[in-house]
Amino acid sequence: MTSFRFRQFAILIIFLAGVSSISCSTKTEGQERFGADADYFIGLKLLSEGNEKQARIKFNNCIKKGSYYCAKKSAQALCTFGNIQEKNQAAENLIKLYPEKDSLLLAAKQFESSNEINKLLECTQNLNPVSDKNELIKIRLTALKNRGDSSYEQEVYDWFASCPVSKEHYQFYRDTYEHPDFEEAYTYNQLHEEKMPLRYTPEQFAINYRIELYKRNYTYTLDSAPELIKYMQSGALNSCEQLASDIGKSYLYGSMDFANNAAYFKKLGGEAELSENGKNLAFYYWFYAGRLYEKAGVYYKQTKNAFEKAMETANNPSQKDNALWYLLNNSMNFSVDSIIENISLYAPQWNDPEYFEDIFEKLISSLLASGKWDAFYKIYTAADGFASDETVAQYAYIYGRLVEEGLAKGDDEAVKKAYTRALTSGSSMYYKILAAYKLGLKGSDLEKVLTAPYKVNTNAQLQADAKTLLEGYAFFGFPQLIYPAWQELYTKGLPEETYFYLADFLGQVGKTDSSENYFTQGTRIAARGQSMAGRNLSRQEIRQIYPLPYFDIVENYCKKYDIKPSVIYALIRSESFFDAEVTSTAGAIGLTQLMEFTGSDIAKRLKIQDYDLTDPEISINFGTYYLAELVRRCDGSLLQAFFSYNAGITRVRRWLKSSLIEFGKKSNMPSDLYLETVPYTETREYGRKLVSATVMYEWLEDENNFAPAVEELLK
């Protein structure tokens, strides 16, 4: 308790300059600024000190007089302490005042722990198996089973039939749900002519089918699919979209007879369209007919027709986009000309532009490899207004560069127009930066581009109550509560100032307390602030997005290995977002994300015996040395060194040779066009991120560094 109070005190001293006493600050400035909401934060402090009686008074005061989120948090806090009766009463009050999903889950857990089954079932009686949390539904179903409720079996089926099978579904089926032993019967029947008698309902059969598909037991689900289809066609089971999707997956992954299976699903799709009860299944049958024809390999027309039918019979815009994505992907596999034609035809029909970004990304390498230079102009103009800003900007910039290289048709005005369009590139700083460089922007014109929000926030209503809660956590010294609450609330609308207030506070705390990665959290909040902003940011706000931690260490090793600090800061920011403890799924460790074997090799070269890759100084030392060596081995090319850091220098050299052939060059491959030919999506995006971050760090140091930095990166 003493260490906690000292830590809270230190946090406030850091952030509230001139404040000499926590109690003084919270009782005067805090109450003046936050009014009745201050009682929530004071209650938290009292609770942490063990003063439950006074904490309860403060929480109840905030519930009566505070703003929405602080009052709700107060009601939730009351459920966490006291005796069983007090916590149960608090849970009842919570769901009465705030009957949202998070409150229901908290109350249900309380009622479950105190064996208040009736209260648990009463508060969860209107759950939606599609939208409510599986954890909450699982709690309810367990309670129904324990009480022997007659609605138990039907509610179990509704849950299993209404949404994708999850870990909670599987655990419930395995540990709680009593079901016929389908697995034993299936194994027995495979080995014996006489079938094992097994009694079950259609619902139990369907539930087991879904579980077996979740386990990827495609042999079983393929064999059992006809029985499941029969149940739905006869009306024994209602037409269920999740089951239809599962049946499609069974045929797609459980059999190699793609053409015949595609014809079967085409038949099912036609029948479903004519059925009164099964029309909602038509999409799935047509969709999997298309997937199966695509797998068969030589049925382009049939594939296209099936996906078009899936689009026609889609039950919602997301399904239509899904079918269209596969149609376009199949077109690209068939021919470059067909995908260009289909983009022009179908772009006005899609719902979510970002869903198709990977199609456009894959198409670029095909266009460059086949020398379809002029297609970039056709696509960027046809897709403008339909594709995402990131995609249009990318195609516009590449078109401008191809004209400059004498490969695509166009004049100076067309190039200028393309680069101007690339300035509005959404969240992609890379094309925005390169277009600004090509247009020669300087001074205030350049600043407007670099500080612009990714997308102007059109959220009509900013949540003043959410702002109060989040800023209150900072003011009263609860950094550990900020990031989880921010993740929950930022989509509801926050003023730009709140993002950077929180980022500044967490950044200051992170300088003295690295236990919770506060610095990383603050930087992430600041970065999100740019994407949610409704105005251009100040340079100071941009500095919070591109901070300079470990300054002395970075400066020292950059001088030692002759590489610019902006490059190393870009590397650290892109690799780990300044989280010294992070380990990637691939096993890369620390600020500069080095693999163990790479770290070992560097340690030998630097004659360092004892090292820890999570130690910031070691990671910066090793990462700076390694990147500097790659720059040297790549003949001074920073971009090729970035690629090599991510994918290995051997691959990068092979890719460069291939790119020179595609562009008909023997040497001097333009780095920005070379990037577009790199075959790995991850490596291309890695290069874009590091180029963008390096330039931003250089510009923040001195705006006159902008053009030289771009030139050095792309030489």
Side-chain angles (χ1 to χ4, degrees):
M1 185 64 70
T2 301
S3 63
F4 176 84
R5 293 176 65 184
F6 177 81
R7 187 168 157 193
Q8 297 293 87
F9 181 81
I11 288 167
L12 286 168
I13 290 298
I14 290 170
F15 195 64
L16 303 175
V19 177
S20 61
S21 166
I22 291 178
S23 60
C24 176
S25 172
T26 56
K27 291 180 180 177
T28 57
E29 296 177 51
Q31 288 178 330
E32 181 178 342
R33 176 173 173 179
F34 293 94
D37 289 323
D39 283 335
Y40 166 59
F41 305 107
I42 297 172
L44 288 178
K45 186 168 292 296
L46 290 166
L47 188 61
S48 72
E49 295 169 349
N51 192 340
E52 294 186 358
K53 182 178 179 180
Q54 289 300 314
R56 190 181 303 279
I57 292 172
K58 292 296 183 182
F59 290 142
N60 280 318
N61 286 343
C62 187
I63 291 171
K64 293 175 183 176
K65 301 177 182 179
S67 62
Y68 178 81
Y69 288 112
C70 288
K72 180 180 176 181
K73 290 291 184 181
S74 294
Q76 291 176 342
L78 286 172
C79 298
T80 65
F81 66 96
N83 59 41
I84 291 176
Q85 289 75 21
E86 288 172 328
K87 288 192 282 188
N88 284 342
Q89 184 60 54
E92 290 186 60
N93 292 337
L94 172 65
I95 57 179
K96 181 179 178 181
L97 294 171
Y98 309 101
E100 290 94 358
K101 295 176 184 179
D102 56 341
S103 297
L104 282 175
L105 180 59
L106 196 157
K109 286 182 176 180
Q110 172 55 35
F111 295 143
E112 181 184 40
S113 68
S114 60
N115 203 32
E116 289 284 355
I117 302 301
N118 289 337
K119 290 180 180 179
L120 191 163
L121 294 178
E122 182 181 354
C123 77
T124 59
Q125 62 184 337
N126 296 317
L127 295 184
N128 184 328
V130 175
S131 58
D132 282 314
K133 292 182 178 180
N134 286 325
E135 182 182 6
L136 180 58
I137 295 172
K138 186 179 172 184
I139 291 173
R140 173 176 172 80
L141 292 176
T142 302
L144 285 173
K145 178 180 184 295
N146 292 338
R147 196 173 74 169
D149 197 286
S150 60
S151 65
Y152 170 67
E153 286 288 346
Q154 185 59 49
E155 289 199 29
V156 169
Y157 175 73
D158 290 343
W159 183 41
F160 273 84
S162 300
C163 54
V165 175
S166 66
K167 179 179 67 175
E168 287 84 2
H169 286 89
Y170 177 70
Q171 290 174 343
F172 181 83
Y173 185 84
R174 182 193 63 196
D175 302 333
T176 306
Y177 183 59
E178 295 178 2
H179 53 81
D181 196 336
F182 290 96
E183 185 175 357
E184 181 183 0
Y186 180 75
T187 302
Y188 179 89
N189 294 340
Q190 294 293 103
L191 301 173
H192 301 84
E193 291 186 11
E194 181 183 353
K195 303 301 181 185
M196 175 185 289
L198 190 68
R199 298 183 63 182
Y200 53 84
T201 66
E203 289 80 6
Q204 289 173 327
F205 182 82
I207 290 171
N208 179 72
Y209 188 92
R210 301 217 69 201
I211 289 295
E212 292 301 325
L213 188 75
Y214 178 79
K215 292 160 58 179
R216 300 186 181 181
N217 186 357
Y218 299 122
T219 301
Y220 171 85
T221 57
L222 184 66
D223 289 344
S224 304
E227 185 173 354
L228 190 58
I229 293 170
K230 182 179 177 181
Y231 280 140
M232 288 195 288
Q233 289 178 336
S234 68
L237 288 175
N238 290 331
S239 298
C240 174
E241 295 182 22
Q242 291 293 327
L243 293 178
S245 178
D246 284 358
I247 292 166
K249 292 172 186 173
S250 296
Y251 280 86
L252 185 65
Y253 302 121
S255 169
M256 299 294 289
D257 192 7
F258 299 121
N260 286 328
N261 290 337
Y264 176 53
F265 271 78
K266 178 180 176 181
K267 176 177 175 290
L268 289 174
E271 291 173 350
E273 285 188 80
L274 299 175
S275 168
E276 286 298 321
N277 299 323
K279 285 186 178 180
N280 62 320
L281 307 185
F283 163 78
Y284 294 95
Y285 293 142
W286 282 115
F287 176 77
Y288 281 102
R291 295 290 310 277
L292 289 160
Y293 275 130
E294 184 179 40
K295 282 278 191 180
V298 291
Y299 295 88
Y300 173 73
K301 184 176 180 180
Q302 292 91 329
T303 303
K304 185 172 185 289
N305 289 342
F307 285 134
E308 286 175 336
K309 289 292 290 184
M311 291 168 61
E312 291 174 15
T313 56
N315 301 303
N316 55 61
S318 295
Q319 289 181 350
K320 184 176 181 180
D321 279 356
N322 193 18
L324 179 52
W325 187 96
Y326 277 97
L327 186 153
L328 294 175
N329 189 63
N330 182 61
S331 298
M332 183 158 44
N333 293 335
F334 180 70
S335 74
V336 174
D337 290 334
S338 65
I339 180 65
I340 295 171
E341 178 185 345
N342 283 323
I343 285 175
S344 300
L345 177 64
Y346 289 110
Q349 297 187 37
W350 57 53
N351 174 64
D352 180 6
E354 293 182 1
Y355 191 78
F356 299 90
E357 284 185 351
D358 58 342
I359 289 285
F360 285 100
E361 183 77 18
K362 287 165 60 178
L363 179 58
I364 288 173
S365 59
S366 297
L367 294 175
L368 294 176
S370 58
K372 300 280 186 180
W373 320 119
D374 293 316
F376 283 92
Y377 175 79
K378 183 176 181 180
I379 291 174
Y380 109 70
T381 54
D384 202 359
F386 303 110
S388 67
D389 281 336
E390 291 83 353
T391 292
V392 176
Q394 182 179 21
Y395 275 73
Y397 177 80
I398 295 172
Y399 165 70
R401 288 291 291 115
L402 291 172
V403 173
E404 287 183 335
E405 292 291 323
L407 297 171
K409 299 175 183 177
D411 54 21
D412 291 344
E413 187 61 31
V415 172
K416 182 179 179 181
K417 185 177 179 180
Y419 288 151
T420 302
R421 177 61 184 89
L423 291 176
T424 53
S425 59
S427 62
S428 176
M429 289 296 295
Y430 176 76
Y431 295 104
K432 189 182 296 186
I433 286 170
L434 296 191
Y437 168 74
K438 287 294 183 180
L439 291 168
L441 299 187
K442 298 178 181 178
S444 60
D445 290 335
L446 177 61
E447 183 166 340
K448 286 178 183 178
V449 171
L450 299 184
T451 62
Y454 293 155
K455 296 177 182 177
V456 176
N457 183 13
T458 57
N459 194 330
Q461 184 169 357
L462 296 176
Q463 295 289 332
D465 292 354
K467 163 186 162 71
T468 299
L469 177 70
L470 292 166
E471 293 188 5
Y473 282 145
F475 186 91
F476 287 90
F478 293 99
Q480 73 277 17
L481 300 180
I482 291 175
Y483 197 69
W486 172 79
Q487 288 181 304
E488 176 187 346
L489 296 174
Y490 79 87
T491 56
K492 299 183 184 300
L494 293 169
E496 295 85 357
E497 292 76 13
T498 297
Y499 286 93
F500 296 99
Y501 176 84
L502 299 176
D504 184 42
F505 172 73
L506 289 171
Q508 294 295 332
V509 175
K511 290 179 181 179
T512 58
D513 183 355
S514 60
S515 63
E516 299 294 334
N517 295 318
Y518 291 128
F519 194 93
T520 296
Q521 292 174 6
T523 307
R524 290 190 186 282
I525 290 174
R528 178 60 65 177
Q530 187 169 19
S531 68
M532 302 295 287
R535 59 163 173 79
N536 279 60
L537 304 182
S538 67
R539 286 177 72 92
Q540 181 56 39
E541 289 168 336
I542 293 292
R543 284 192 176 93
Q544 289 179 259
I545 300 172
Y546 299 93
L548 300 170
Y550 311 110
F551 184 82
D552 292 339
I553 299 174
V554 171
E555 289 284 324
N556 176 42
Y557 289 109
C558 284
K559 288 179 181 177
K560 182 174 181 179
Y561 301 123
D562 191 24
I563 194 167
K564 288 188 174 182
S566 58
V567 174
I568 299 306
Y569 274 118
L571 176 74
I572 297 171
R573 185 183 186 276
S574 301
E575 286 284 1
S576 64
F577 233 71
F578 307 105
D579 184 351
E581 302 288 334
V582 69
T583 299
S584 73
T585 54
I589 302 169
L591 290 174
T592 57
Q593 288 290 278
L594 294 168
M595 301 295 288
E596 284 280 10
F597 59 83
T598 306
S600 176
D601 182 58
I602 294 170
K604 290 176 183 177
R605 296 184 188 187
L606 297 178
K607 296 180 172 57
I608 297 175
Q609 293 184 342
D610 297 323
Y611 64 92
D612 179 357
L613 292 178
T614 63
D615 178 84
E617 182 160 1
I618 289 292
S619 185
I620 292 170
N621 182 5
F622 284 21
T624 305
Y625 168 82
Y626 185 46
L627 184 60
E629 278 293 294
L630 289 172
V631 172
R632 180 185 63 78
R633 295 174 65 188
C634 292
D635 300 322
S637 171
L638 279 169
L639 185 59
Q640 289 186 46
F642 291 157
F643 290 153
S644 299
Y645 197 99
N646 178 259
I649 194 168
T650 302
R651 285 196 186 99
V652 171
R653 287 171 172 166
R654 185 169 66 247
W655 295 340
L656 180 59
K657 290 179 181 179
S658 177
S659 297
L660 288 168
I661 294 171
E662 288 179 14
F663 282 87
K665 292 178 175 288
K666 293 183 178 180
S667 60
N668 299 322
M669 180 69 194
S671 292
D672 52 349
L673 294 180
Y674 166 53
L675 180 146
E676 305 297 343
T677 67
V678 169
Y680 289 1
T681 301
E682 176 191 337
T683 304
R684 290 195 301 271
E685 190 56 29
Y686 183 82
R688 293 179 188 126
K689 285 181 179 179
L690 264 73
V691 167
S692 302
T694 300
V695 173
M696 290 303 295
Y697 275 112
E698 286 288 340
W699 176 75
L700 285 168
E701 182 181 357
D702 185 338
E703 63 182 32
N704 294 319
N705 289 348
F706 176 79
V710 176
E711 290 166 5
E712 183 177 2
L713 285 160
L714 298 184
K715 70 180 181 180

